[in-house]
Amino acid sequence: MQGLEELIAAAPVFAGLAPDQLELVAGCGANRRAEAGEVLFREGDPADLFFLIRAGTIALEVHSPGRGALVIDTLHDGDLVGWSWLFPPYRWRVDGRAVGPAALIAFDGLCLRGKCEADHELGYQLMRRFAAGAIERLQATRFQLLDVYANPAAR
Amino acid sequence: MVPAAFVVRAKRRETADTWTFELEPEGGGFEFSPGQFTMLAAGGAGEAPISISGDPDDPARLVHTVRAVGAATRAICAAEPGEVLEARGPFGGAWPLEAAEGDEVVIAAGGIGLAPLRPAILRLLDRRERYGPLHLLYGGRSPDQLLYPAELEEWAERGLEVALTVDSAGPEWLGHVGVVTRLVGRAELDPARTTAMLCGPEIMMRFTVAALTARGISTERIFASMERNMQCGIAHCGHCQLGPTLVCRDGPVYPWSELEAWLAIREL
Amino acid sequence: MSAEIELLERDGFDSLLAALAADGYTVIGPTVRDGAIVYDEVHTAADLPVGWTDEQGGGHYRLHRRDDEALFGYAVGPHSWKRYQLPPEVTVWRGRRRADGGLERFEEAPREPPRLAFLGARSCELHATEILDRVLLGGAHPDPADRARREDVFVVAVNCGEAGGTCFCASMDTGPVAKAGFDLALTEVLEDGRHYFVVDVGSERGADLLARVPHAAAAEPERDAARRIHEHTAATMGRELDVTDIRDLLYRNYEHPRWDEVADRCLTCGNCTMVCPTCFCTTVEDTTDLSGDVVERRQSWDSCFTVDYSHLSGGSVRGSGRSRYRQWMTHKLATWFDQFDSSGCVGCGRCITWCPVGIDITEEAAAIRASDGERRAGA
């Protein structure tokens, strides 16, 4: 079995971190498995965790009475799941559900926030990586909102 | 309960599927409080619960803005001036306008959700001096889907700070593009003195509440108009139950603090 | 409870029914039909289920012959008095369409509704009637038609001689002895070769009627016999429901795994809502004749178990069977308190008996209580 540090080092999102930084990050992590259909977090829950997907798919959902659960995004191998731990009020904004069985690493957000405060170089390196992921998803979401497949006559 | 007849005196198209009707009560006026609704029908095609969207200080007219989404509302929307619509009511509770006197007021509306808030806006403007700053944050799908465009300008002139946003628009649109929750962050307000009133799709209201509480506004000062399957309007038929409440009797306006825990239960 | 306890002999019973008829009442009481005891018009004691008893359990109802001639030797059947207080189908109004699209309402010549006397109402049912009164008449918009149905109903209650297999009125504090809401309450005694009724007089009207029927004051041994029957019935309930803190217990267990377990069994057939004496949900339908000119609004019983019941924005809020069973049970035992200041359940056991798969509300409540706080995976 690979150690946690090795698994984190292999993840593209953490590529380029120095060994001591990887050790700090791994110190806040733990292996986690999810079963198919398992709900990992719900809108409004305290967001003190975030996840790295080693293998599997996590669906982000919003529920609406009468329409049920609406999937607004899906995240896959190598993706980070969860930003709500970064800033107050530290509450999940959406529901997260494992689509099939998933292998994850769960990170303690409070722990990592503390380490970033103490070590600003670590903080900078991590924030760069988180920001890059967020920007990429924001741009994709904007494109998604254009609803390009709609019937042009209906526009 | 037996409905009363109302003659359509004016009909105005708001969007592709939404019309505003001005109805004249047959004999006498129609008194209501902002936030209340009637069970409206085009006699014989079934009733729909529709919020009253008129001026509470003008009882000569019962005004309803109706979106055609089903059999009952399609029949209502087909009515022309001179024809008759029927209504039972008014039912339900009102926006807490008296309790909010002295406060700064934020009104957040999504889509047709502006219709139940229009009577509140008219009363707030009518009694402008009793309130602090007044804000309207209004979001819709696209510029042609916004309600009451001419009135929005008029209200801005009377002292309502109006911020509009749409999900998508062409370059001629000069307002915001994006979801209405983003307007909450921009509004200049004093959270300790602010009362908020919300109406729109439930998801929009949930996310707007999150944005308001992030600004420090307590959920006891945030009020939402809720919707469930209302059929009788008089707490007899049981359909509109939302946990321990009946929306037609205990709502449709609720303080969010009362609802929060219940709305988190899926398929309540 | 009145201090007047009287005695009515078995052979005086028909005089009681005759006196009610003479006063213009149509007497509705239990009768045997299609293998069940249901409410219908009765004229003499012979119309009652004389010498019959019922055997009830989860999803189980059978009639058996007794070895005596008791008139009321059974518990409640699938009918409840709800069908007279809130009829299964009612025409709310009728109208004729005008040229301008409006409706001209016309009233049919009001038929004098029959004056009804309910014979054989059990304590649980009297409580159910009171609960429905609060729902239908206690709000801001009572319907005059609902009120009219409640006026002038003469109630001859019966205190159960034995508890039914699914009864739990003792747990709900709604029986087995009738304490209010009746004009006369009878306890049937068959002992030592005698057959008589100990009569509790509950109103002036009841006293007046009894005065015209051969009766006597009940002697101490006779009152004791009735008391023994009451105690025996209370001690032999078919089911039990622990109501300690039941509202808050259910409020904190909306995500309990038991709801998934019961959903595997529940057919969402709605039988429970139809036989329940307090379920009050109705729906309305506007219909027209072929010309489209005559319009009628009909109100009929509805059930929260239907998919459309909670229709909203193109779908249903409660799409799953799990959520619909949970809605019914939490309404009955918990949210009813917040909505109408009482429990919605009177412990009559009908929902248990008439559920095709025998789901037992007392068992479900006990299961949740036994693992209070447990949450389904991922909740």
Side-chain angles (χ1 to χ4, degrees), chain A residues 48-145:
Chain A
D48 29 32
L49 289 179
F50 66 100
F51 304 92
L52 169 68
I53 301 177
R54 287 180 48 215
T57 299
I58 304 294
L60 300 184
E61 297 176 336
V62 176
H63 87 277
S64 172
R67 294 171 68 194
L70 304 164
V71 178
I72 55 170
D73 204 352
T74 55
L75 303 168
H76 306 269
D77 302 15
D79 286 337
L80 286 176
V81 181
W83 297 319
S84 300
W85 64 278
L86 278 166
F87 302 107
Y90 309 119
R91 292 205 172 270
W92 290 103
R93 304 291 201 102
V94 293
D95 300 345
R97 174 180 56 85
V99 175
L104 312 165
I105 299 174
F107 292 95
D108 179 336
L110 189 61
C111 165
L112 204 53
R113 280 203 311 269
K115 290 188 179 174
C116 291
E117 279 303 307
D119 179 348
H120 282 187
E121 175 57 25
L122 172 70
Y124 168 68
Q125 291 298 333
L126 289 180
M127 291 301 146
R128 275 190 67 212
R129 286 158 175 78
F130 296 148
I135 288 164
E136 198 212 311
R137 281 191 222 162
L138 175 62
Q139 286 167 338
T141 304
R142 284 170 164 167
F143 179 17
Q144 194 176 339
L145 281 177

Side-chain angles (χ1 to χ4, degrees), chain C residues 309-331:
Chain C
Y309 182 86
S310 59
H311 182 90
L312 189 73
S313 331
S316 290
V317 177
R318 292 187 281 272
S320 68
R322 167 185 174 265
S323 63
R324 285 177 264 149
Y325 185 85
R326 181 181 67 182
Q327 159 64 26
W328 178 75
M329 189 169 143
T330 56
H331 187 207

Side-chain angles (χ1 to χ4, degrees), chain A residues 42-43 62-65 67 70 89 93-95 142 145-147, chain B residues 141 167-168 182 202-203 206-207 210 214 228 263-267:
Chain A
R42 282 213 181 282
E43 182 186 328
V62 176
H63 87 277
S64 172
R67 294 171 68 194
L70 304 164
R93 304 291 201 102
V94 293
D95 300 345
R142 284 170 164 167
L145 281 177
L146 285 174
D147 195 16
Chain B
R141 205 154 174 233
D167 288 347
S168 67
R182 291 175 65 195
E202 205 165 301
I203 294 178
R206 281 209 315 269
F207 285 13
R228 283 298 182 268
L263 291 178
I265 300 170
R266 305 292 183 272
E267 292 196 297

